[in-house]
Amino acid sequence: MLLFFPMPYSGEWWYSVLCRYHVKSGNEKFQTTIRELFQGRPRAMIGAFFPNNTMHQIVSQLPASFDLRNLILEHTPFRYYMRMYSLQEKVDFLDALCKGEATTPTYIWKTAGGKNQPLRYCPLCAEEEVKRYGESCWHTLHQLPLVAVCDIHHCRLLNASSEALRLNEGFYPVPLNVTQAECVDVDSAEMLLTEISREYLTVDLSVGPTQKHNNLAQVLMNKGYGVLKKGGVISLDAEKLYTDLQEFYGAELVKRIFGEEASVYTLNRIVKWNLSSPERYIMLQGLAGLTTETVFSESAIPDRMRVRLEEYQSTGVQYGRKQLAGQLGVKPHQLDILARNYGIEPFWKGARGNQPKTGMLKLYLTEEELRTIRNRAKEMGFPHTSDYVKFCIRQQMDANKSTWKESTDDE
């Protein structure tokens, strides 16, 4: 049983609590503190960013007021790194951690953590905490891969040291010589990444990938990043996305997170919710201009291509294949693929199942009337004036459906 242990501050990272324990213990050597915390053991993975069984070993020596489940959720990046897992997987992993049985997912070591993980802090947060508590702490949010600025003060985070710190071998408190905050070069994209990362870290554990749809992928497709491939598969345009991501966030960050070039394989995994690490979802979410609530909403965002195709179908106009494809921004042969994917009966000229023309209506107009109709048809996007005239007649018939039926019945 440990004789004392600091209570964590709001938003404080678990490793930071251990650092404050070391300072308060009065121990000169790191090894002495490690042996105190782990019952004589000389080594422990105290600096791992993702929670591990060292938390269970320490909390098992503390009073019941230190609830391990709450400590994991509130003082580690567990919710952030488990965000893309199913709720059941999250619950099972959390239960295993509380029993001291879980192991760190391997992908996390590629994005954060490890023995040489850099520590970042906000100088203004540190200054305020010293005034309020007499000490400062490391914030979990500030250590996340895409967070470069403070969500509270909107200033740039500072690295604690120019040299790599071996966190598993020592306890390094936040520097007391607080320097002036750097605010001048913080841009909107950096703040956006910080805000989304904060949401992934703090929203309820149940928030995550949906079963039957992917709103993030759908919005990107609606914005023009969709590609219709052979076999009717709709995917994301990797090259276009990579270029736009670079323009939005800068080439260096995109290269660090997405790699040297666009990967169709990676984007296909994102579309299917099969990618575990959250960073690429976050960057795409920022580019798409979506909230975290919308990304993981149970309400599916409509497929804009499907909606437009159904709108053209509802006009009753028999469009030419090329004209309709041009309106939708696809190739003519892709119309059949889209119709099959959406379960829509082809309604354009030349499509199978369309009824042939059985009659013709001749209409005499003045030059002014004809000019007005042609201009209106062009404004509304009809490929032919006759299509617009047929549309107007059909609308008039639909509006007076009951009167029209009575008239035909009398005859």
Side-chain angles (χ1 to χ4, degrees), residues 223-226 236-246 262 287:
K223 287 180 174 290
Y225 293 106
L236 292 173
D237 189 332
E239 186 174 349
K240 183 179 179 182
L241 266 175
Y242 194 86
T243 299
D244 289 354
L245 283 167
Q246 287 182 311
L287 179 67

mmCIF file of all heavy atoms in Angstrom, residues 223-226 236-246 262 287:
data_model
loop_
_atom_site.group_PDB
_atom_site.id
_atom_site.type_symbol
_atom_site.label_atom_id
_atom_site.label_comp_id
_atom_site.label_asym_id
_atom_site.label_seq_id
_atom_site.Cartn_x
_atom_site.Cartn_y
_atom_site.Cartn_z
ATOM 1 N N LYS A 223 -18.732 15.900 -52.383
ATOM 2 C CA LYS A 223 -17.932 17.079 -52.713
ATOM 3 C C LYS A 223 -17.080 16.887 -53.960
ATOM 4 O O LYS A 223 -16.270 17.752 -54.304
ATOM 5 C CB LYS A 223 -17.029 17.440 -51.527
ATOM 6 C CG LYS A 223 -17.776 18.060 -50.347
ATOM 7 C CD LYS A 223 -16.815 18.397 -49.214
ATOM 8 C CE LYS A 223 -17.530 19.156 -48.100
ATOM 9 N NZ LYS A 223 -17.919 20.522 -48.499
ATOM 10 N N GLY A 224 -17.234 15.739 -54.623
ATOM 11 C CA GLY A 224 -16.538 15.535 -55.884
ATOM 12 C C GLY A 224 -15.326 14.630 -55.817
ATOM 13 O O GLY A 224 -14.589 14.512 -56.802
ATOM 14 N N TYR A 225 -15.109 13.971 -54.688
ATOM 15 C CA TYR A 225 -13.962 13.086 -54.556
ATOM 16 C C TYR A 225 -14.313 11.627 -54.870
ATOM 17 O O TYR A 225 -13.471 10.743 -54.727
ATOM 18 C CB TYR A 225 -13.384 13.157 -53.135
ATOM 19 C CG TYR A 225 -12.769 14.493 -52.802
ATOM 20 C CD1 TYR A 225 -13.424 15.380 -51.952
ATOM 21 C CD2 TYR A 225 -11.542 14.870 -53.323
ATOM 22 C CE1 TYR A 225 -12.863 16.606 -51.628
ATOM 23 C CE2 TYR A 225 -10.973 16.094 -53.008
ATOM 24 C CZ TYR A 225 -11.641 16.958 -52.161
ATOM 25 O OH TYR A 225 -11.084 18.179 -51.839
ATOM 26 N N GLY A 226 -15.546 11.373 -55.289
ATOM 27 C CA GLY A 226 -15.948 10.015 -55.599
ATOM 28 C C GLY A 226 -15.470 9.580 -56.966
ATOM 29 O O GLY A 226 -15.429 10.370 -57.920
ATOM 30 N N LEU A 236 -12.878 6.599 -53.381
ATOM 31 C CA LEU A 236 -12.418 7.982 -53.267
ATOM 32 C C LEU A 236 -11.212 8.212 -54.182
ATOM 33 O O LEU A 236 -10.375 7.324 -54.341
ATOM 34 C CB LEU A 236 -12.040 8.293 -51.817
ATOM 35 C CG LEU A 236 -13.193 8.330 -50.818
ATOM 36 C CD1 LEU A 236 -12.657 8.471 -49.400
ATOM 37 C CD2 LEU A 236 -14.146 9.479 -51.126
ATOM 38 N N ASP A 237 -11.158 9.380 -54.746
ATOM 39 C CA ASP A 237 -10.063 9.761 -55.640
ATOM 40 C C ASP A 237 -8.825 10.070 -54.799
ATOM 41 O O ASP A 237 -8.682 11.164 -54.251
ATOM 42 C CB ASP A 237 -10.475 10.981 -56.469
ATOM 43 C CG ASP A 237 -9.484 11.306 -57.570
ATOM 44 O OD1 ASP A 237 -8.291 10.995 -57.411
ATOM 45 O OD2 ASP A 237 -9.909 11.869 -58.595
ATOM 46 N N ALA A 238 -7.923 9.106 -54.686
ATOM 47 C CA ALA A 238 -6.766 9.226 -53.804
ATOM 48 C C ALA A 238 -5.851 10.380 -54.208
ATOM 49 O O ALA A 238 -5.396 11.152 -53.360
ATOM 50 C CB ALA A 238 -5.980 7.911 -53.791
ATOM 51 N N GLU A 239 -5.597 10.503 -55.475
ATOM 52 C CA GLU A 239 -4.665 11.547 -55.940
ATOM 53 C C GLU A 239 -5.220 12.948 -55.684
ATOM 54 O O GLU A 239 -4.506 13.836 -55.202
ATOM 55 C CB GLU A 239 -4.380 11.359 -57.431
ATOM 56 C CG GLU A 239 -3.316 12.299 -57.971
ATOM 57 C CD GLU A 239 -2.943 11.996 -59.410
ATOM 58 O OE1 GLU A 239 -3.352 10.937 -59.923
ATOM 59 O OE2 GLU A 239 -2.250 12.830 -60.032
ATOM 60 N N LYS A 240 -6.491 13.149 -55.994
ATOM 61 C CA LYS A 240 -7.106 14.460 -55.784
ATOM 62 C C LYS A 240 -7.168 14.800 -54.301
ATOM 63 O O LYS A 240 -6.888 15.933 -53.886
ATOM 64 C CB LYS A 240 -8.509 14.473 -56.388
ATOM 65 C CG LYS A 240 -9.214 15.819 -56.283
ATOM 66 C CD LYS A 240 -10.591 15.766 -56.922
ATOM 67 C CE LYS A 240 -11.303 17.107 -56.791
ATOM 68 N NZ LYS A 240 -12.671 17.074 -57.366
ATOM 69 N N LEU A 241 -7.522 13.822 -53.475
ATOM 70 C CA LEU A 241 -7.584 14.045 -52.032
ATOM 71 C C LEU A 241 -6.217 14.393 -51.466
ATOM 72 O O LEU A 241 -6.087 15.298 -50.639
ATOM 73 C CB LEU A 241 -8.138 12.802 -51.327
ATOM 74 C CG LEU A 241 -9.635 12.759 -51.058
ATOM 75 C CD1 LEU A 241 -10.033 11.422 -50.466
ATOM 76 C CD2 LEU A 241 -10.056 13.899 -50.135
ATOM 77 N N TYR A 242 -5.196 13.677 -51.898
ATOM 78 C CA TYR A 242 -3.844 13.922 -51.386
ATOM 79 C C TYR A 242 -3.400 15.340 -51.723
ATOM 80 O O TYR A 242 -2.831 16.048 -50.884
ATOM 81 C CB TYR A 242 -2.878 12.903 -51.983
ATOM 82 C CG TYR A 242 -1.542 12.827 -51.287
ATOM 83 C CD1 TYR A 242 -1.357 12.021 -50.171
ATOM 84 C CD2 TYR A 242 -0.444 13.562 -51.747
ATOM 85 C CE1 TYR A 242 -0.136 11.939 -49.531
ATOM 86 C CE2 TYR A 242 0.779 13.495 -51.111
ATOM 87 C CZ TYR A 242 0.929 12.677 -50.004
ATOM 88 O OH TYR A 242 2.153 12.611 -49.359
ATOM 89 N N THR A 243 -3.683 15.775 -52.953
ATOM 90 C CA THR A 243 -3.312 17.131 -53.372
ATOM 91 C C THR A 243 -4.035 18.185 -52.542
ATOM 92 O O THR A 243 -3.430 19.155 -52.073
ATOM 93 C CB THR A 243 -3.635 17.329 -54.870
ATOM 94 O OG1 THR A 243 -2.889 16.389 -55.648
ATOM 95 C CG2 THR A 243 -3.288 18.738 -55.319
ATOM 96 N N ASP A 244 -5.332 18.002 -52.338
ATOM 97 C CA ASP A 244 -6.115 18.976 -51.581
ATOM 98 C C ASP A 244 -5.754 18.964 -50.093
ATOM 99 O O ASP A 244 -5.798 20.007 -49.420
ATOM 100 C CB ASP A 244 -7.603 18.712 -51.763
ATOM 101 C CG ASP A 244 -8.084 19.067 -53.164
ATOM 102 O OD1 ASP A 244 -7.274 19.618 -53.941
ATOM 103 O OD2 ASP A 244 -9.252 18.790 -53.487
ATOM 104 N N LEU A 245 -5.407 17.799 -49.558
ATOM 105 C CA LEU A 245 -4.948 17.716 -48.170
ATOM 106 C C LEU A 245 -3.656 18.500 -47.985
ATOM 107 O O LEU A 245 -3.468 19.209 -46.986
ATOM 108 C CB LEU A 245 -4.738 16.258 -47.760
ATOM 109 C CG LEU A 245 -5.994 15.440 -47.443
ATOM 110 C CD1 LEU A 245 -5.658 13.957 -47.379
ATOM 111 C CD2 LEU A 245 -6.611 15.888 -46.122
ATOM 112 N N GLN A 246 -2.746 18.389 -48.948
ATOM 113 C CA GLN A 246 -1.484 19.136 -48.883
ATOM 114 C C GLN A 246 -1.732 20.633 -48.909
ATOM 115 O O GLN A 246 -1.089 21.392 -48.173
ATOM 116 C CB GLN A 246 -0.576 18.735 -50.050
ATOM 117 C CG GLN A 246 0.049 17.358 -49.909
ATOM 118 C CD GLN A 246 0.965 17.040 -51.069
ATOM 119 O OE1 GLN A 246 0.609 17.198 -52.239
ATOM 120 N NE2 GLN A 246 2.170 16.596 -50.767
ATOM 121 N N ALA A 262 -0.426 9.212 -52.393
ATOM 122 C CA ALA A 262 -1.793 8.785 -52.133
ATOM 123 C C ALA A 262 -1.892 7.267 -52.179
ATOM 124 O O ALA A 262 -1.254 6.616 -52.999
ATOM 125 C CB ALA A 262 -2.717 9.402 -53.182
ATOM 126 N N LEU A 287 -10.960 18.491 -43.610
ATOM 127 C CA LEU A 287 -11.049 18.904 -45.011
ATOM 128 C C LEU A 287 -12.502 18.939 -45.472
ATOM 129 O O LEU A 287 -12.907 19.840 -46.215
ATOM 130 C CB LEU A 287 -10.253 17.933 -45.889
ATOM 131 C CG LEU A 287 -10.263 18.210 -47.392
ATOM 132 C CD1 LEU A 287 -9.519 19.510 -47.707
ATOM 133 C CD2 LEU A 287 -9.635 17.047 -48.166
#
